[in-house]
Amino acid sequence: MARGVARRLRRLMRWRPRRNAWQPPRTSPVAVTGRPPAIAEPMRHLRGTALRVPLAEAMDVELFEALNREYASHPLVPAPPAYDHDTLVDRATARLAGIHGRIDLASRDVLVFGCGNGYEVWFLADAYGARATGIDIVEHGSWATLTGPDRTFVMADLATEQPFAAGSFDRVVSINVFEHVSHPAATLAELYRVLRPGGLAWITANLYRGPKASHRYREVYFPWPHLLFGDDVVRAFYRRQGLPEEGSEWVNKLTWEQYREHILGLGFRIRRQKLLETPIDEALYQRFEWILGRYPRADLTRDFFQVVLEKPR
């Protein structure tokens, strides 16, 4: 090993820049002696193309309702998922089957981050023989029924309370939770800490700039309502529909690139990544380009990311 290190050091000492490598041009100092003529109001504008919001497109509740009527026949999410027991059971079964095919959940110590109702935790122990732990910041009423041998539930904020010892888990599963995490960088760091070397994490999460990030697509049919309208307008819409007043769902505003930077900075290896996208609604984009044009078009298509992360051995 010592000889190998010595050889690498000798190679580094012999390294020279390539002859055809670009070099910046050599310059000579420039003497500045003059000054421009004095201008009384150097910041005064004469003319230009300043942003003007079309008067017909005032971003109020009336426009919100009009857009919703326009999209009622072709909603962004034609069949929103249901939350009855049988549907939740079927969804948990299908999700775990897909995740197991990627990271092998059988007989592992598995942490379900943001476990919600806990169905995945129950199936991990019952069907996969795993020792499953679910964690969430809210205790769900279903936990008492689903708790049992190799099925544990913990109410805690992973980022701030650190309820688990380092290296406690072989696997981490997190399904559409990270967008609601207010300290995503600290949470990722804690997941890295509690994973064992060689452990794998499956994470999928909604991205803020995507068409569906408002989470209100059961009643709101058009894309990007959270980017186009303030929460005061969204709440007014719900109030006028006779429904409980709600704004857009709270979603942290990290882009995929920012998530990726945090992930790699911690030392994770990305073994698989996938961006789930929805094509841009060009007519709506052009109509509200003065708002949506502030964001990169690629971000406006990205609804979810999926990653498999590995903690190096």
Side-chain angles (χ1 to χ4, degrees):
M1 180 180 293
R3 288 196 296 272
V5 172
R7 282 197 298 271
R8 286 195 292 273
L9 286 173
R10 285 196 296 270
R11 284 198 298 269
L12 287 172
M13 292 173 68
R14 290 196 302 268
W15 182 86
R16 296 289 186 275
R18 291 180 300 171
R19 291 184 179 180
N20 60 350
W22 182 84
Q23 296 292 327
R26 296 181 179 179
T27 62
S28 300
V30 174
V32 178
T33 58
R35 295 181 68 82
I39 299 173
E41 299 179 71
M43 299 301 290
R44 183 165 64 94
H45 297 170
L46 295 180
R47 58 194 179 109
T49 56
L51 174 66
R52 291 183 177 84
V53 179
L55 294 179
E57 299 292 315
M59 307 306 292
D60 54 23
V61 67
E62 284 75 19
L63 178 58
F64 193 106
E65 291 175 333
L67 285 172
N68 223 38
R69 289 191 295 270
E70 289 178 28
Y71 279 80
S73 61
H74 54 289
L76 176 64
V77 181
Y83 290 115
D84 60 277
H85 171 78
D86 289 337
T87 301
L88 289 171
V89 166
D90 293 342
R91 192 180 306 147
T93 304
R95 283 171 165 174
L96 288 178
I99 296 169
H100 174 63
R102 296 287 182 181
I103 65 172
D104 183 12
L105 299 169
S107 303
R108 307 285 187 172
D109 291 309
V110 183
L111 175 65
V112 182
F113 172 69
C115 64
N117 51 54
Y119 285 91
E120 283 84 6
V121 174
W122 191 91
F123 276 113
L124 281 165
D126 183 76
Y128 293 87
R131 295 164 295 278
T133 302
I135 185 170
D136 208 304
I137 60 171
V138 176
E139 181 180 2
H140 288 246
S142 54
W143 289 4
T145 302
L146 299 177
T147 298
D150 292 329
R151 299 189 297 269
T152 305
F153 295 94
V154 176
M155 186 184 73
D157 184 337
L158 187 68
T160 59
E161 298 179 53
Q162 298 183 331
F164 308 117
S168 295
F169 302 99
D170 304 304
R171 301 288 186 266
V172 167
V173 172
S174 181
I175 305 170
N176 301 340
V177 173
F178 247 93
E179 65 264 30
H180 306 300
V181 173
S182 56
H183 300 96
T187 302
L188 282 166
E190 184 61 10
L191 292 180
Y192 186 90
R193 189 184 71 85
V194 302
L195 261 180
R196 294 176 182 137
L200 299 172
W202 167 281
I203 299 174
T204 180
N206 201 192
L207 290 164
Y208 172 75
R209 297 174 180 180
K212 301 174 185 175
S214 75
H215 287 54
R216 299 301 180 211
Y217 39 75
R218 283 174 175 77
E219 302 85 22
V220 181
Y221 306 133
F222 57 92
W224 309 297
H226 57 297
L227 300 183
L228 295 173
F229 295 91
D231 267 358
D232 56 336
V233 174
V234 181
R235 285 192 291 268
F237 165 78
Y238 275 90
R239 183 171 62 250
R240 288 164 65 139
Q241 301 299 311
L243 298 171
E245 289 190 34
E246 295 182 295
S248 297
E249 185 74 19
W250 191 91
V251 178
N252 71 56
K253 298 183 179 182
L254 291 190
T255 64
W256 161 241
E257 286 77 14
Q258 290 168 326
Y259 272 111
R260 189 174 187 276
E261 182 179 0
H262 287 309
I263 287 167
L264 295 177
L266 289 167
F268 275 119
R269 293 172 180 158
I270 299 178
R271 292 308 190 190
R272 179 180 185 267
Q273 73 176 53
K274 183 178 182 181
L275 294 172
L276 305 181
E277 299 181 328
T278 299
I280 283 182
D281 182 323
E282 289 294 345
L284 192 70
Y285 178 86
Q286 293 303 325
R287 181 173 174 181
F288 296 104
E289 192 276 339
W290 58 277
I291 296 176
L292 299 175
R294 303 168 187 174
Y295 305 98
R297 284 177 63 93
D299 284 353
L300 295 175
T301 70
R302 294 172 177 173
D303 271 318
F304 297 87
F305 72 84
Q306 289 180 354
V307 288
V308 173
L309 308 178
E310 180 186 23
K311 180 176 180 176
R313 294 184 184 277

